[in-house]
Amino acid sequence: MDRAWRPQDELPEEATAFVGRTRELGAVRAAFERARLVTLTGPGGVGKTRIAMRSARELAGDHPDGVCMVELSGVRDGALLADTVAMSMGMRDSMAVPTIDLLVECLRARRCLLILDTCEHLVADCAAFAMTVLRACPGVRVLVTSRQPLDLPGEQVLAVPPLEVTRSGGEAVELFAARARDALPGFTLTAANRDVVVLLCGRLDGIPLAIELAAVRLRTLSPEGLLKRLDDRFWLLGDGPSETVRHQTLRTAIGWSHELCTPPERLLWARLSVFAGGFDRAMAEEVCADSRLDREAVAECLAGLAGKSIVQRAADGRHLMLDTLREYGAAWLNEVEPVQPLRARHRDCLARLAGRAAAAWLTDDQDRWLRRLDAERDNVRAALEFCFTVPGEERAGLRLAASLWSGWLCRSRFTEGRYWLDRGLAAVTGPFPERADALWRSAYLRTNQGESPRAMPLADEALRLAGRRGDDIGCGRALRTLGTAATFMGDAGRAGRCFDEALGILLVRGPREDLIMLRMLRGFHRAKSGASEAALAECDEALRLLEDAPAEVWARSWIAYVKALAHWFLDDVDGCARELRTVLAGFRRVQDLVGLTNGFELLGWVYARQRRYADGAVLLGAAARFPAQVGVPRLGDPALEDLHRELEGRAREALGPDRFAEHFERGMALTVDETVGFARDDPRAP
């Protein structure tokens, strides 16, 4: 994880001007002077997230190790909470150690602010997570937004009130005027309309979301018309407690906006609630269009909903819907049509996207599709959750998970990949092809997390199932996985036999990407087995297979890493260093922190052999800073762990304990970019 993984200027951009809230911002700052956990509570639409974002910007100077905002509205399973936080912080779960343990280890010595946004559906999980982090990491502060507190000892709970409405105006009126100018350029508050706007904001109880929805209507109605139409809706309100009234006020304001939509727009609003996170127009058309609402109508209605601020258009062209509006749409959907067919169409849409991403693996288009899968993370999770909770959809879930495998692999998201594959394997127990495919994929992820002994039985079962079906490619993939697990277990004989048999199968019928992976892994096995020249030949063959993808980065970086390891065992430290400098640039580009960690480690050894002991200590410190190696043998091999201790001891002896510690700690303090620059002898590196 980078030292400042989320500097305050990289927080989500504020789409509209921030208005008022001086007291609330001061209260957040004062609360953090008393405690390390602050929770902003209040009903939907009251402005908790905006206050949290603005507070984060104002408090950034108090947190030298960064600010990280984690959006949780799309996370429905608490088991994925820690993984979601880790991903937001740039971590990669490269091993089987629980992600919460990695986070604690990474945050233990840091001074940072962690924002958990929209926690009300995960209160118990967020409470357990916050308690663990706060107890173990004294420099971490946590800011929570939720409709209810976490109920933890020492938690400072700040109820976010509606905006103030006074006779002369107040912050609520300021907000209305600001949003009115966005909707209707040239709008100004005047003596003629101020009283009406004050009354309008009072009717809306000063709730920011309600005010913003009303302000948009100035495109078609005057302030007087707005007030009259809103008054016509207020027969719904009763004399209950203020919190209930405010909830009803917001519901009324949203319902009023709903009534102002055309019937097709209302239907689209309801259907769009199936998306978790964002979506683009093509996805909306694919999921929401049918005989009642064709694609042209979807596009037209989407523009209409954007014009009414029901959906918001992000800077990247995608559309977003606030949680409160999504909830309203979901409730309406339950009344107008069956939900399950729509969720199935949503799943099918994500399956097609994942299939195109899988087809782009190890091609020049790989990076673009990896970024697309990153953007669809919440939608992917929603689709998988649908598959593994609705009877009869489990095999479709395993097929979707298989399509996502290469994305999890390239991004080193092994724990999440295993989570979904294993959920599917628990549900699909028969001898189906989807089970055989998921078994070797889950086994391979386990080998990457230091669990080769547990991976072996899964790959063996995959081999048996594929053999029964006459699936040669499945057999080759299972054998390749068995060879990889055997390599990490130090069983060179079995590894060699499995790789040779896999090669015999895949050379005849295997897809290009399977052969590339096999050549790369076989090269790794041969380098570790003392056959470095043969390892280099395997790498050259893998690169030949990549000739049609000159811009591909991920596989090329790992192949270069295997070549560097082969040069190391050939005692060619200069050749090893040359390959590694190329490797580090590639791994940085694809955000592969596992590859970067391994590269820093191996280059640290090279520097120790070259008697550049201080530089070697810096790189060993950088490698130790990332959690990728905690609990896993160095570079996946106990023998290489022994080599690490020998070379670190040599540097420590040459420098002396104090100087070694000084350089080692310097490496731990460098950011990813600074470490890559240092490793590549960039004169701009610190």
Side-chain angles (χ1 to χ4, degrees), residues 408-492:
W408 287 322
L409 184 63
C410 290
R411 290 290 199 242
S412 301
R413 292 173 182 159
F414 309 140
T415 296
E416 177 159 8
R418 282 177 51 181
Y419 173 80
W420 292 114
L421 288 167
D422 292 351
R423 276 189 68 176
L425 288 170
V428 180
T429 56
F432 299 105
E434 293 89 354
R435 178 173 176 82
D437 195 38
L439 282 165
W440 75 259
R441 294 180 191 275
S442 181
Y444 188 83
L445 296 180
R446 277 179 161 80
T447 66
N448 281 270
Q449 294 188 298
E451 289 193 4
S452 292
R454 296 180 63 185
M456 283 285 195
L458 300 180
D460 277 327
E461 184 184 348
L463 182 60
R464 289 195 303 271
L465 290 177
R468 289 177 196 167
R469 296 182 57 253
D471 178 4
D472 289 343
I473 294 175
C475 288
R477 290 167 168 173
L479 285 164
R480 184 185 63 196
T481 304
L482 285 167
T484 305
T487 298
F488 285 125
M489 292 172 65
D491 189 347

Side-chain angles (χ1 to χ4, degrees), residues 240-283:
S242 61
E243 186 173 335
T244 302
V245 171
R246 285 170 184 161
H247 175 74
Q248 290 178 323
T249 300
L250 179 60
R251 186 162 54 102
T252 298
I254 296 174
W256 176 53
S257 293
H258 190 258
E259 287 188 353
L260 291 173
C261 293
T262 65
E265 287 174 345
R266 294 177 201 167
L267 180 60
L268 181 61
W269 182 349
R271 290 180 174 180
L272 289 175
S273 68
V274 76
F275 287 101
F279 55 90
D280 61 22
R281 193 183 80 176
M283 293 174 69

Side-chain angles (χ1 to χ4, degrees), residues 566-615:
H567 281 293
W568 171 266
F569 286 116
L570 285 170
D571 205 27
D572 178 10
V573 293
D574 292 336
C576 180
R578 183 174 58 251
E579 294 287 354
L580 285 172
R581 292 190 180 97
T582 300
V583 162
L584 295 175
F587 284 142
R588 182 58 181 128
R589 179 177 166 187
V590 295
Q591 305 173 39
D592 191 332
L593 291 185
V594 178
L596 282 170
T597 298
N598 288 359
F600 295 152
E601 174 74 22
L602 187 51
L603 190 55
W605 298 1
V606 168
Y607 285 167
R609 286 281 295 273
Q610 294 175 334
R611 300 179 185 275
R612 296 175 58 179
Y613 296 116
D615 292 343

